[in-house]
Amino acid sequence: MAIFGLWIINKAGGLVYQRNFAEGLAPLTSNEYLVLAGTLHGIHAITSRISPAAGSSSGAQVIEGETFKMTIMLTATGTKFVLLTSLAETTADVILQKVYEAYSDAVMKNPFHTPEMPIRSEGFETRVTTVIGIGQS
Amino acid sequence: MTIYSLYIYDRHCACVYYHDWHRAKRPKPANEGGGLYNAVNRGVAPQSSESSVQTTPTFNSPRNTLSLNTGHVVAVGEPTTPLPQQTEHEVSKSNALPFDEEAKLVYGVVISLRNMVKKLSGRDELFTSYRTSAYRLHLLETVSGYKFVMLSDPNTDNLRFVMRQLYNGPFIDYAVRNPLVPMDSREQGIDNDYFRAATDRFIRGLSVFGP
């Protein structure tokens, strides 16, 4: 049970927030994270196109490797919240919902924040620390 | 609980085999010149433009063998107007992709995710599956670079063991050990009646396949 990291990807595929928590995944440069976020954005769009089932499909919601998984939450406005956790983590959805709440309160209601731009807000940092802290215990 | 489809790719990024079971929307036949190998799946092979443009292939045998139900021939160069009895089909398939494009998209997603997982983990960790609201995709890569991709219901458990068995059984027996199937030829798939039948039997016998 570990939470490795949190990404927020804006509707254009740009990484606007990235933070690491527990150790366990490779440390990457911020440029590499940007590239991965862009890739994920593209993959997310394609995965909804190749559905074999009747009706429409969402994009990828959970992506699994051998020891970790990425849980992706797409909001109504197209912003993606991505949580990197261990495979056994069951609370990823709940945590993402809480992060979204914190994002709405501390980022979107902040008059000094420019939409779609990187998030630099102390209030949001603290809120995230509280949320993920709860999830980790 | 069900299994939708199986794609096998070789190490040159090309689809060498395709089989589907409970798919809602059949893929359209591949475009000519789309780079699809021969012997991948008779139902999705490019249709010759001289005969039966846009005729809807109907699959009624469990082995997906193609049988055309109409003998309509549309002259080359004429705009293809859907024939009255096909309208229903055409509407339901309106957003379906031609098979060659679909196969490329699936491969692209799988490769990108595999690279992403490798990069993120920092060790040679393998991408195993992803899930959307409608389906789950599983990947097994063999040492020789063949990739088995299986699409199933989103609630199924990991199907890697199933693909492993498929590899150890039908794939080795009817593709690798078959002198008439050129492996790694870069121009031909591995589809043959025995492999298709064995794969079909194996998948239909699984408990996850459902009724």
Side-chain angles (χ1 to χ4, degrees):
Chain A
M1 299 278 274
I3 296 169
F4 300 121
L6 169 72
W7 303 355
I8 301 177
I9 303 173
N10 70 16
K11 62 181 177 224
L15 189 65
V16 290
Y17 184 82
Q18 189 273 323
R19 186 166 159 192
N20 289 332
F21 301 96
E23 301 281 314
L25 297 180
L28 302 175
T29 65
S30 49
N31 208 16
E32 287 173 313
Y33 281 119
L34 273 173
V35 173
L36 288 182
T39 315
L40 188 67
H41 183 74
I43 292 172
H44 192 269
I46 298 174
T47 49
S48 64
R49 285 283 323 255
I50 55 177
S51 168
S56 62
S57 168
S58 71
Q61 291 172 328
V62 183
I63 297 171
E64 290 179 11
E66 285 171 310
T67 64
F68 76 98
K69 63 175 178 181
M70 309 165 75
T71 310
I72 303 164
M73 183 183 84
L74 179 70
T75 70
T77 51
T79 310
K80 279 190 267 299
F81 289 77
V82 184
L83 197 69
L84 291 99
T85 61
S86 58
L87 282 180
E89 185 66 58
T90 51
T91 55
D93 292 313
V94 184
I95 293 173
L96 281 174
Q97 205 61 48
K98 286 184 184 156
V99 172
Y100 185 29
E101 234 174 86
Y103 171 83
S104 313
D105 285 344
V107 180
M108 295 319 287
K109 287 184 191 170
N110 178 354
F112 299 104
H113 174 72
T114 326
E116 311 297 320
M117 291 305 278
I119 298 164
R120 298 183 205 291
S121 152
E122 202 140 303
F124 183 60
E125 289 292 328
T126 342
R127 295 277 303 257
V128 169
T129 311
T130 325
V131 170
I132 308 269
I134 295 165
Q136 291 250 345
S137 63
Chain B
M1 297 287 254
T2 187
I3 290 173
Y4 291 120
S5 51
L6 167 75
Y7 300 80
I8 301 176
Y9 293 91
D10 67 5
R11 64 196 178 99
H12 308 293
C13 325
C15 186
V16 291
Y17 182 77
Y18 170 75
H19 199 152
D20 61 24
W21 289 273
H22 283 147
R23 248 187 103 147
K25 290 176 287 186
R26 299 262 172 212
K28 284 193 220 158
N31 293 325
E32 271 190 279
L36 189 71
Y37 290 174
N38 292 325
V40 170
N41 181 317
R42 267 175 270 176
V44 299
Q47 299 195 350
S48 154
S49 53
E50 273 147 42
S51 68
S52 61
V53 177
Q54 290 290 320
T55 44
T56 317
T58 52
F59 300 79
N60 35 27
S61 96
R63 284 208 243 139
N64 262 353
T65 40
L66 175 74
S67 67
L68 289 172
N69 59 342
T70 54
H72 296 290
V73 177
V74 181
V76 191
E78 257 185 22
T80 53
T81 43
L83 298 158
Q85 69 269 36
Q86 292 177 346
T87 321
E88 203 185 330
H89 275 291
E90 294 299 321
V91 169
S92 69
K93 291 175 28 157
S94 56
N95 61 349
L97 289 165
F99 180 75
D100 56 328
E101 284 177 28
E102 177 186 282
K104 281 176 201 161
L105 281 185
V106 171
Y107 189 81
V109 165
V110 162
I111 286 302
S112 309
L113 283 174
R114 165 176 165 272
N115 293 343
M116 181 182 287
V117 166
K118 259 186 195 163
K119 186 115 196 187
L120 273 172
S121 65
R123 31 185 196 271
D124 272 353
E125 194 171 317
L126 302 170
F127 158 66
T128 59
S129 78
Y130 77 76
R131 181 160 60 72
T132 76
S133 64
Y135 68 99
R136 185 169 175 182
L137 177 146
H138 313 258
L139 171 75
L140 175 80
E141 190 172 349
T142 71
V143 279
S144 46
Y146 277 90
K147 288 164 199 73
F148 287 65
V149 177
M150 207 171 235
L151 270 62
S152 74
D153 186 89
N155 303 317
T156 45
D157 291 330
N158 206 319
L159 290 179
R160 293 189 91 200
F161 75 96
V162 169
M163 292 185 288
R164 172 68 63 186
Q165 280 171 299
L166 205 59
Y167 172 63
N168 284 337
F171 185 78
I172 297 285
D173 285 344
Y174 298 114
V176 178
R177 287 189 183 150
N178 183 342
L180 298 179
V181 172
M183 301 299 283
D184 212 31
S185 68
R186 309 198 70 161
E187 56 196 18
Q188 205 182 329
I190 58 167
D191 188 17
N192 63 67
D193 283 349
Y194 289 99
F195 180 55
R196 191 163 286 275
T199 306
D200 194 62
R201 215 178 310 122
F202 173 67
I203 298 292
R204 282 177 193 274
L206 295 168
S207 59
V208 291
F209 187 77

